[in-house]
Amino acid sequence: MKFNLMKKNIHAITVLIIINVLINSGCRDNISNPDESLKNLALYAVIDGNKSGFLIIDYATMAVEDSFYTTPYVPKGIEFSGDYKEWYSIWKSSSSGNKLYAINTVSKGIKRNTSCKGDLLTLSGDKNNIIVFGDRIIQFYNRENFSLLYEDSIGNISKIVSSQTKRLIYCLGNSLDNKRFGVFVYDLNTKKLLRFVPLKDSVQQRSMVASDIKISPNDEYLYISIFTWANGFSGFGSFMVMDISNDNIINDYVSGGMSQLAVSGDGKNVFISDPAGYGIELPPTYKIFYFTNNFYNTFIDWRTFFNTSTFNGSVNSSQEIIMSPDNKSLVTNVVGSLKTEEGKLIQILKIGISKKETISSFSFPTDIHGHITQRIKKMKIGKYFK
């Protein structure tokens, strides 16, 4: 639009003044200054194969920045301190079972370790405690010195998410007697179970498996993914939304087998992958779903997504799925025959949210025989400091 100021168009002058005020009051800074949340951003991938450990991948370029190997032991996950100067993981030790490790992000040196009973971990919302769980035990450690604060018996829990505003954790899985499946709400201050929220009905609960659980940034909703076994190696996935204020399931949709979840930082969108049961090879939906404003639909259908792409091949399923801090892109590790123009098999895709387009990809190098000897187990976004 052009304004002829020579005609003294009062409305046009007013519009220009408003635009100038907006620019000088901060809009220009938002555009020219990069988002601090993207500075030093890296994707940490847990890998196994002929080498196991961690690959540290630059989020912007999808190029490998560094690595940390734990061969022959495979880490089960990774968590970060609030300043990203340390990261934490668990893997087996040949002499004493599972060990919890703290690694310096800059030097990649192990700062401390201690024996633990579980093999999975998460952090409390305030980042003060490391929560280790598995084998029907939950343990609470001081993050700074790894002193064991408390441990308790708990059900067959495979997923935990922490409240961001309260000293609460939400545990997804089966009770100790394996007769109840649902969400266990645990108070970190009193170290007691506050309540149990059953999912579905008791007839189905023995056949239900925890897939993933996430929480909205405002602590209003839990997003839950489960899989229910039917006859033989078949069943169905479910994506649920639970109102934390009253423990009611307000949305329930069909999803993929063992679906993983990613929640945008603004809480407006949830993305739901379909791993097709991982190694079980359940029938895939060939989709990534999304949920926003009580609306559930297909975000990507892999069967049609690459029609205008330079990639060759196809994607059968997507496993881990992670949102970028600026809510503009997501990464997911894919299974299929998708290759780059150079013929490299793709393991990770980075996808722009608004235009639903591929931005970049990551491929493992092959050995001298042309074989890929590693695979991705878990992924998490962190920071990398050189």
Side-chain angles (χ1 to χ4, degrees):
M1 181 181 295
K2 295 182 179 180
F3 295 100
N4 188 346
L5 299 181
M6 296 300 294
K7 294 182 178 180
K8 298 182 180 181
N9 189 321
I10 301 300
H11 296 292
I13 293 174
T14 302
V15 169
L16 288 175
I17 290 173
I18 292 172
I19 291 173
N20 188 57
V21 169
L22 286 172
I23 290 174
N24 288 311
S25 64
C27 291
R28 179 176 55 197
D29 290 338
N30 291 336
I31 295 171
S32 62
N33 293 339
D35 190 334
E36 280 297 313
S37 67
L38 302 181
K39 189 176 180 180
N40 301 316
L41 201 65
L43 182 68
Y44 284 69
V46 177
I47 60 171
D48 74 351
N50 68 333
K51 288 184 179 181
S52 54
F54 304 89
L55 285 184
I56 304 170
I57 301 168
D58 180 85
Y59 190 83
T61 64
M62 286 287 113
V64 174
E65 293 258 52
D66 212 333
S67 59
F68 183 98
Y69 293 113
T70 60
T71 311
Y73 307 109
V74 182
K76 288 297 185 74
I78 184 171
E79 294 289 340
F80 296 90
S81 61
D83 59 5
Y84 293 97
K85 295 298 177 65
E86 284 186 348
W87 44 281
Y88 314 98
S89 189
I90 297 173
W91 60 86
K92 285 187 179 295
S93 168
S94 58
S95 59
S96 57
N98 294 328
K99 277 197 170 183
L100 171 65
Y101 293 88
I103 296 96
N104 183 284
T105 306
V106 178
S107 68
K108 310 303 176 297
I110 295 175
K111 295 183 66 175
R112 58 192 176 279
N113 67 82
T114 188
S115 296
C116 60
K117 294 181 180 178
D119 58 358
L120 301 170
L121 79 162
T122 190
L123 263 65
S124 57
D126 57 14
K127 305 288 186 181
N128 290 332
N129 301 124
I130 296 177
I131 303 162
V132 175
F133 57 103
D135 199 23
R136 302 178 183 273
I137 293 289
I138 188 166
Q139 297 176 299
F140 303 93
Y141 290 87
N142 181 295
R143 181 185 61 80
E144 294 183 344
N145 58 25
F146 278 9
S147 60
L148 178 61
L149 303 174
Y150 180 74
E151 74 173 50
D152 197 3
S153 297
I154 198 169
N156 186 17
I157 301 300
S158 57
K159 295 286 183 176
I160 292 180
V161 68
S162 298
S163 166
Q164 300 303 301
T165 62
K166 301 175 183 178
R167 294 275 293 167
L168 299 176
I169 57 172
Y170 301 89
C171 313
L172 182 63
N174 291 88
S175 59
L176 280 169
D177 60 10
N178 209 35
K179 292 182 179 180
R180 299 181 301 163
F181 181 92
V183 178
F184 300 80
V185 186
Y186 206 98
D187 190 314
L188 296 182
N189 290 326
T190 64
K191 302 178 178 63
K192 293 186 181 297
L193 181 67
L194 290 182
R195 63 189 186 275
F196 169 74
V197 183
L199 298 178
K200 300 286 188 179
D201 58 72
S202 58
V203 176
Q204 295 176 318
Q205 286 186 4
R206 283 179 178 270
S207 59
M208 297 171 77
V209 178
S211 299
D212 204 1
I213 184 169
K214 294 290 192 293
I215 194 167
S216 62
N218 58 11
D219 270 11
E220 289 186 0
Y221 304 105
L222 284 179
Y223 303 111
I224 300 166
S225 169
I226 64 172
F227 185 78
T228 302
W229 289 105
N231 298 323
F233 287 97
S234 64
F236 59 92
S238 301
F239 167 70
M240 304 176 183
V241 181
M242 190 178 91
D243 186 333
I244 293 177
S245 67
N246 54 26
D247 294 339
N248 287 336
I249 300 297
I250 57 175
N251 298 104
D252 188 350
Y253 304 97
V254 174
S255 61
M258 316 294 183
S259 289
Q260 301 300 291
L261 310 176
V263 182
S264 60
D266 56 14
K268 294 180 179 180
N269 299 293
V270 183
F271 294 89
I272 303 101
S273 72
D274 175 18
Y278 289 93
I280 303 171
E281 297 184 1
L282 298 167
T285 62
Y286 301 99
K287 293 179 179 181
I288 291 178
F289 300 95
Y290 76 102
F291 173 79
T292 182
N293 296 324
N294 292 319
F295 179 74
Y296 182 79
N297 208 339
T298 299
F299 174 66
I300 286 174
D301 188 325
W302 296 117
R303 293 165 295 187
T304 57
F305 184 66
F306 298 106
N307 285 351
T308 59
S309 171
T310 57
F311 297 140
N312 302 305
S314 61
V315 168
N316 294 328
S317 62
S318 58
Q319 298 180 346
E320 301 294 302
I321 186 166
I322 303 172
M323 286 286 299
S324 64
D326 63 358
N327 306 316
K328 293 181 179 180
S329 63
L330 63 79
V331 290
T332 182
N333 60 314
V334 295
V335 177
S337 61
L338 191 68
K339 294 182 179 180
T340 65
E341 286 183 294
E342 298 77 25
K344 296 179 180 179
L345 186 67
I346 293 172
Q347 278 78 40
I348 302 175
L349 279 174
K350 179 178 169 184
I351 299 170
I353 300 297
S354 61
K355 296 183 179 180
K356 299 183 184 180
E357 61 183 6
T358 53
I359 299 173
S360 55
S361 64
F362 168 81
S363 301
F364 280 121
T366 57
D367 63 12
I368 58 174
H369 304 291
H371 299 145
I372 295 172
T373 57
Q374 294 172 317
R375 62 176 178 172
I376 294 168
K377 300 287 289 184
K378 293 287 182 183
M379 300 190 302
K380 195 173 185 71
I381 282 183
K383 299 279 187 173
Y384 175 70
F385 304 103
K386 298 181 180 179

